[in-house]
Amino acid sequence: MMYNFRPHRIKVYIVFLFFVSAIIFTCCKDSGDSTTSKTDLSELQQRALKISSPMPENAFTEGMNPSDELIGLGKMLFHEPRLSKSGFLSCNSCHNLATFGVDNLPVSIGHGWQKGVFNSPTVLNAAFHKFQFWNGRADNVEMQAGMPILEKVEMSSKKEHVIEVLHSIPQYVEFFRSAFPDDAEPIKYENVEIAIGAFERTLITISPFDDYLRGDETALSDLQKQGLTLFLETGCQTCHKGQVLGGEIFAHFQTPAERASGNISPGRFEITEREADMHFFKVPSLLNVVHTYPYLHDGSLWDLSQTVVLVAKEMLNKDLTDEEVDLLIEFLGSLSGVLPDEAMQLPVLPPSTSTTPLPDVTL
Amino acid sequence: MMYNFRPHRIKVYIVFLFFVSAIIFTCCKDSGDSTTSKTDLSELQQRALKISSPMPENAFTEGMNPSDELIGLGKMLFHEPRLSKSGFLSCNSCHNLATFGVDNLPVSIGHGWQKGVFNSPTVLNAAFHKFQFWNGRADNVEMQAGMPILEKVEMSSKKEHVIEVLHSIPQYVEFFRSAFPDDAEPIKYENVEIAIGAFERTLITISPFDDYLRGDETALSDLQKQGLTLFLETGCQTCHKGQVLGGEIFAHFQTPAERASGNISPGRFEITEREADMHFFKVPSLLNVVHTYPYLHDGSLWDLSQTVVLVAKEMLNKDLTDEEVDLLIEFLGSLSGVLPDEAMQLPVLPPSTSTTPLPDVTL
């Protein structure tokens, strides 16, 4: 059969060609412009992406649909000293957002100037940890948030006190109603935890390392890249891997200060009571590590270089040269990020009323 | 002589008429639109303007030419816990910007959980006070800022410690150089005071009462206007007058709690040692008074209504009815303002180095 030309087919061909062109154009555009296309990445970037990934904007997981009201309420509660017995301490006292979510003390100061047991970990990016606290006694930031409020040596409060304070302030009654619209009784301790957790899930820092993982080859200096290479070759990523380069597993660790005093913390054993967990501690995240001194679970080391040397020896039995330590520190510097402006904006807390329980600074 | 019409004169007349119209239009516009023209103000607004005036944007006086660098440095120092001996307390600990520049405690908690002597006044709008502290022992916010840092029961630091901390942090060396470009030795205690003072001079709250003073008749509710009228008729403005409705004079005052205990503070006498100043205290500002509880120099009264009743009786020998108290409270509510966003944005503090003095939480 001869080719039977039919004019109406021209339209079909033109439409077809248009779609093919559009598809080709789209594909070319994707592989050409995208900075995350694998083929564009350097070998080092690809190796780095095997142990971590760029930070997302927040740490909300599927099914979480946090409203601005919930996050805003969480921010207020994070800064709310009236949740504490004394009316003087808030989450922010020990997880100061002006100092990268830590207090830069070996152990925290709490109610009555009592000292905590472990070094306060940062709240920044904490939601990506698979366990909370050094001994992993909470599963997520929501569960974590509720604990220091009640701890005798921290905020020394009681659930009933927290609920009574919040109920006594009409603005909080309204804020909880807006944040938990489907809840018949919005003001309850569980919701305090959910709200603070929601705010903490927005405390995400974006660092030069993130930009590097996204494909920006210039985000790291040459020394930082050498440091990253050394990090991977030394084996640091055995423990310091994942979204926040840590926070995923527990490791056996005794600090020099503990050994010197003979007072060695049982660590995760206290939670699980399994002999295998004796002296095990959560591997900390390395994000913003330059700012989160002092180091180790007892906050006994102030110097990052000394900490790097110690951990390389203890965990990997490696003796690092001074030059290697310097390069690793260069890389660690690329993990410092900044919080979104919104997270750094202080809330205005509503005033107490005549029914608000008075602060009690006594022990 | 007959009128000798000359065509070229028409142009002159038109131009002349145009200018006259323009001038008339401009004049009408001025008296019609301007919200601050005296003739537009209600009688109550004019009476209010006799005792106070709308808040300016900041509290810098002539000759002060603060740079953004100076104010930014001041904000960092205001939030800087490393100025304290413990590394835990900053200006913001007791003058919390999330709670209107106060700690809402009768007396502040300081180093080692020690208690202060007087109730912490707010830093908001403080630069407009003619004297600082309840006993007026500092002349301005700069002089004030340097004192709690060194006070044993507050931040318990030493000038040498402050200077050593700042010198040890390269970013601070740079920030001081930018903030004090003409100073051969920018890091000195006096400059710490100047920088914190400069930041505090931006802590200005604009309230509905300010809008009212600017001519917005709708800025106050009817009840608030009745309260303002009563305020003026009762004589409250005898002491509570000026830019911040207080902060200008000293008045004799003994609190019921002091009388009950027999432990009556000498007040300004401690500073001047003049018998005439015995038990005299600075009249506090009324701005944001709804938020700056508890009240009086010993922070012994939590309830604003009770405070109004007490002060009216003590100072003016007036017995207020419940209705009058309610109206005065309505007016006082119109004095609550908000800080500029910039002031509420937390700074990011630079990290310590190996030469930074370590915090010392011991007494």
Side-chain angles (χ1 to χ4, degrees):
Chain A
M1 193 172 79
M2 274 214 12
Y3 189 75
N4 186 9
F5 182 78
R6 296 191 213 160
H8 80 267
R9 283 232 170 142
I10 287 188
K11 281 186 197 159
V12 175
Y13 292 145
I14 288 173
V15 169
F16 178 67
L17 272 170
F18 174 80
F19 273 103
V20 169
S21 309
I23 287 162
I24 290 167
F25 178 73
T26 307
C27 292
C28 290
K29 192 162 177 282
D30 252 3
S31 65
D33 285 2
S34 168
T35 49
T36 51
S37 160
K38 278 237 166 162
T39 53
D40 275 358
L41 294 174
S42 69
E43 197 210 322
L44 183 57
Q45 279 168 327
Q46 290 184 47
R47 283 172 67 194
L49 278 168
K50 285 196 180 129
I51 66 151
S52 193
S53 54
M55 292 292 274
E57 253 185 40
N58 59 54
F60 295 110
T61 57
E62 222 181 299
M64 284 182 175
N65 295 305
S67 61
D68 289 348
E69 284 77 8
L70 179 66
I71 296 168
L73 173 62
K75 188 204 275 190
M76 299 179 102
L77 297 174
F78 185 86
H79 286 280
E80 182 52 86
R82 285 168 293 187
L83 302 188
S84 71
K85 183 184 179 189
S86 66
F88 183 58
L89 302 171
S90 69
C91 305
N92 194 65
S93 299
C94 299
H95 299 288
N96 191 340
L97 298 185
T99 50
F100 289 80
V102 296
D103 55 12
N104 296 131
L105 295 173
V107 292
S108 290
I109 295 292
H111 186 84
W113 212 254
Q114 294 176 91
K115 289 180 195 165
V117 178
F118 298 121
N119 178 258
S120 284
T122 179
V123 284
L124 308 193
N125 314 297
F128 288 115
H129 289 230
K130 291 196 175 157
F131 311 86
Q132 301 296 321
F133 296 110
W134 282 99
N135 56 21
R137 68 185 181 278
D139 294 335
N140 51 49
V141 282
E142 283 75 13
M143 193 174 161
Q144 189 280 328
M147 291 170 141
I149 298 171
L150 308 178
E151 205 62 65
K152 281 269 172 218
V153 300
E154 300 185 50
M155 292 167 71
S156 197
S157 194
K158 291 195 180 342
K159 288 187 183 181
E160 303 72 39
H161 174 79
V162 168
I163 301 307
E164 203 182 336
V165 164
L166 297 170
H167 262 303
S168 73
I169 299 167
Q171 291 92 329
Y172 271 127
V173 172
E174 189 48 50
F175 296 150
F176 270 85
R177 204 176 286 146
S178 304
F180 300 97
D182 303 328
D183 211 321
E185 190 52 75
I187 294 188
K188 53 189 174 199
Y189 200 74
E190 190 196 339
N191 285 352
V192 171
E193 297 174 324
I194 289 172
I196 298 176
F199 173 59
E200 291 190 354
R201 285 174 189 275
T202 70
L203 300 178
I204 306 299
T205 57
I206 305 294
S207 70
F209 184 59
D210 283 302
D211 297 334
Y212 184 74
L213 290 179
R214 282 206 174 78
D216 180 359
E217 183 64 36
T218 66
L220 298 197
S221 71
D222 284 345
L223 285 177
Q224 287 173 331
K225 286 177 202 166
Q226 288 175 45
L228 169 57
T229 306
L230 186 61
F231 182 89
L232 297 168
E233 280 167 6
T234 307
C236 309
Q237 80 284 10
T238 316
C239 293
H240 292 288
K241 62 175 169 15
Q243 186 67 72
V244 294
L245 298 176
E248 300 202 338
I249 57 169
F250 295 90
H252 185 270
F253 206 89
Q254 301 176 359
T255 76
E258 283 182 321
R259 285 184 188 145
S261 72
N263 187 10
I264 301 172
S265 169
R268 184 147 176 80
F269 172 81
E270 277 191 303
I271 309 306
T272 64
E273 294 186 345
R274 295 190 330 156
E275 205 51 51
D277 287 332
M278 182 60 86
H279 309 313
F280 269 60
F281 289 88
K282 187 178 68 174
V283 173
S285 163
L286 295 179
L287 303 192
N288 304 301
V289 70
V290 168
H291 298 272
T292 59
Y293 54 87
Y295 305 105
L296 309 183
H297 57 262
D298 57 359
S300 57
L301 272 190
W302 286 88
D303 189 80
L304 186 53
S305 300
Q306 282 176 25
T307 309
V308 167
V309 169
L310 175 77
V311 176
K313 184 65 185 171
E314 288 281 326
M315 306 309 294
L316 300 162
N317 199 27
K318 294 251 166 95
D319 295 294
L320 299 176
T321 65
D322 288 352
E323 198 204 348
E324 287 173 326
V325 174
D326 289 348
L327 284 178
L328 289 170
I329 299 282
E330 285 288 336
F331 167 60
L332 295 178
S334 78
L335 304 176
S336 297
V338 286
L339 280 181
D341 280 354
E342 179 58 30
M344 293 292 273
Q345 188 78 17
L346 281 170
V348 179
L349 302 180
S352 295
T353 66
S354 59
T355 59
T356 307
L358 294 184
D360 178 1
V361 301
T362 61
L363 266 178
Chain B
M1 192 175 83
M2 275 209 20
Y3 188 73
N4 185 13
F5 182 75
R6 295 191 215 161
H8 78 269
R9 285 230 169 143
I10 287 187
K11 280 185 197 163
V12 176
Y13 294 143
I14 288 174
V15 169
F16 176 69
L17 273 170
F18 175 82
F19 274 103
V20 169
S21 308
I23 288 163
I24 291 167
F25 178 74
T26 308
C27 293
C28 292
K29 194 164 175 283
D30 252 4
S31 63
D33 285 1
S34 168
T35 49
T36 51
S37 161
K38 276 236 166 164
T39 52
D40 276 357
L41 293 174
S42 68
E43 197 210 321
L44 183 58
Q45 279 168 329
Q46 291 183 48
R47 284 172 68 195
L49 278 168
K50 286 197 180 125
I51 65 151
S52 193
S53 54
M55 293 292 275
E57 253 185 38
N58 59 54
F60 295 111
T61 57
E62 222 182 299
M64 286 183 174
N65 295 305
S67 60
D68 290 348
E69 285 77 9
L70 180 66
I71 296 168
L73 173 62
K75 189 204 273 191
M76 299 178 102
L77 298 174
F78 184 87
H79 286 280
E80 182 53 87
R82 284 167 294 186
L83 302 188
S84 71
K85 183 183 180 191
S86 66
F88 183 58
L89 302 172
S90 70
C91 306
N92 194 67
S93 299
C94 299
H95 299 288
N96 191 340
L97 299 184
T99 50
F100 289 80
V102 296
D103 54 12
N104 295 130
L105 295 173
V107 292
S108 290
I109 295 293
H111 187 84
W113 211 253
Q114 293 177 90
K115 289 180 196 166
V117 178
F118 297 121
N119 178 258
S120 283
T122 178
V123 285
L124 307 193
N125 313 298
F128 287 115
H129 290 231
K130 290 195 175 159
F131 312 86
Q132 300 297 320
F133 295 111
W134 282 100
N135 56 21
R137 68 185 181 278
D139 295 335
N140 51 47
V141 283
E142 283 75 12
M143 193 175 161
Q144 188 280 328
M147 291 171 141
I149 298 172
L150 308 177
E151 205 62 66
K152 280 271 172 217
V153 300
E154 300 186 49
M155 291 166 71
S156 196
S157 194
K158 291 194 180 339
K159 287 186 183 182
E160 304 72 40
H161 174 80
V162 168
I163 302 306
E164 203 184 336
V165 163
L166 296 170
H167 263 303
S168 73
I169 298 167
Q171 292 93 328
Y172 270 127
V173 173
E174 189 48 51
F175 296 149
F176 270 84
R177 204 177 286 145
S178 305
F180 300 97
D182 303 327
D183 211 321
E185 190 54 74
I187 294 188
K188 54 189 174 201
Y189 200 74
E190 191 196 339
N191 285 352
V192 172
E193 296 173 326
I194 290 172
I196 297 176
F199 173 59
E200 291 190 354
R201 285 174 189 275
T202 70
L203 300 179
I204 307 299
T205 56
I206 306 295
S207 70
F209 184 59
D210 284 302
D211 296 334
Y212 184 73
L213 290 178
R214 283 209 172 76
D216 180 359
E217 183 64 36
T218 64
L220 298 198
S221 70
D222 284 345
L223 285 177
Q224 287 172 332
K225 285 177 202 166
Q226 290 176 46
L228 169 57
T229 305
L230 185 62
F231 182 88
L232 296 168
E233 281 167 5
T234 307
C236 309
Q237 81 284 11
T238 316
C239 294
H240 291 288
K241 64 175 168 10
Q243 186 67 73
V244 295
L245 298 177
E248 300 202 339
I249 57 169
F250 296 89
H252 185 270
F253 207 90
Q254 301 177 358
T255 75
E258 283 182 320
R259 285 184 188 146
S261 72
N263 187 12
I264 301 173
S265 170
R268 185 148 175 79
F269 173 81
E270 276 192 303
I271 309 306
T272 64
E273 294 186 346
R274 297 190 329 154
E275 205 51 49
D277 287 332
M278 183 60 86
H279 309 314
F280 269 61
F281 289 88
K282 187 178 68 175
V283 173
S285 162
L286 294 180
L287 304 191
N288 304 302
V289 69
V290 168
H291 297 273
T292 59
Y293 54 87
Y295 305 106
L296 310 183
H297 58 261
D298 58 358
S300 57
L301 272 191
W302 286 88
D303 188 80
L304 185 53
S305 300
Q306 282 175 26
T307 309
V308 168
V309 169
L310 175 76
V311 176
K313 184 67 185 168
E314 288 281 325
M315 305 308 295
L316 300 162
N317 198 27
K318 295 251 166 96
D319 294 294
L320 299 175
T321 65
D322 288 353
E323 198 203 349
E324 287 172 327
V325 174
D326 289 348
L327 283 177
L328 288 171
I329 299 282
E330 285 288 336
F331 167 59
L332 295 177
S334 79
L335 304 176
S336 298
V338 286
L339 280 181
D341 279 355
E342 180 58 29
M344 292 293 272
Q345 188 78 18
L346 281 170
V348 178
L349 302 179
S352 295
T353 66
S354 59
T355 60
T356 307
L358 295 184
D360 179 0
V361 301
T362 61
L363 266 178

